[in-house]
Amino acid sequence: MKKRTSGSEDGGGGDSPSQLIDARIEELGDWRGETLARIRALVTQADPDVVEEWKWRGVPVWSHAGMICTGETYKKAVKVTFAQGASLDDPSGLFNSSLEGNTRRAIDFHEGDTIDAEAFQALVRAAVALNTS
């Protein structure tokens, strides 16, 4: 079972971050919602102790001893940004965005893209290991 926390100053109405993420997935109602739901499932499977947060007026965040990644939705992409991505080994080459930064790395998923679940979960586990080291 995933841990839940308020984790946000902007989660109005008393909804938990998990409820707000549920609502965002439902509100999107298209491939972006499906992709965000899949990403969420992969993160929570890779780290059963993950904490879901809702920050910056509507960005799902997954944390464990620090931020693991965010799940931002745009018109043509779902962007998963790993807070310490530049420090993670990415042998499968999933990172395809924010490659020039010194800290973060991101994966942009577009309509029709498949998610390499094994490689994605390896990145999540590596991020948790980095956060807890």
Side-chain angles (χ1 to χ4, degrees):
M1 176 151 216
K2 64 186 152 226
K3 294 183 181 181
R4 298 166 195 265
T5 181
S6 61
S8 173
E9 62 282 353
D10 16 14
D15 290 333
S16 74
S18 292
Q19 290 169 320
L20 293 166
I21 295 169
D22 289 341
R24 170 62 50 83
I25 289 167
E26 175 122 1
E27 168 191 308
L28 289 166
D30 60 11
W31 68 269
R32 296 170 302 160
E34 293 170 9
T35 301
L36 186 60
R38 178 74 174 130
I39 289 162
R40 178 193 210 183
L42 291 171
V43 170
T44 58
Q45 289 166 8
D47 180 18
D49 294 323
V50 72
V51 174
E52 292 191 316
E53 299 175 288
W54 186 257
K55 295 188 176 193
W56 310 297
R57 298 189 181 164
V59 177
V61 176
W62 294 278
S63 298
H64 182 147
M67 190 183 306
I68 299 169
C69 61
T70 64
E72 300 163 79
T73 53
Y74 299 98
K75 190 172 187 174
K76 296 191 180 228
V78 175
K79 179 183 284 291
V80 179
T81 302
F82 283 77
Q84 299 294 325
S87 298
L88 302 177
D89 190 27
D90 180 24
S92 297
L94 292 183
F95 291 131
N96 62 10
S97 183
S98 304
L99 301 175
E100 66 287 338
N102 292 330
T103 306
R104 294 182 297 275
R105 293 286 183 273
I107 306 166
D108 287 354
F109 294 103
H110 300 93
E111 188 171 9
D113 286 353
T114 57
I115 300 172
D116 182 338
E118 187 176 316
F120 184 83
Q121 288 182 316
L123 283 176
V124 170
R125 286 189 289 273
V128 171
L130 182 63
N131 287 352
T132 59
S133 65

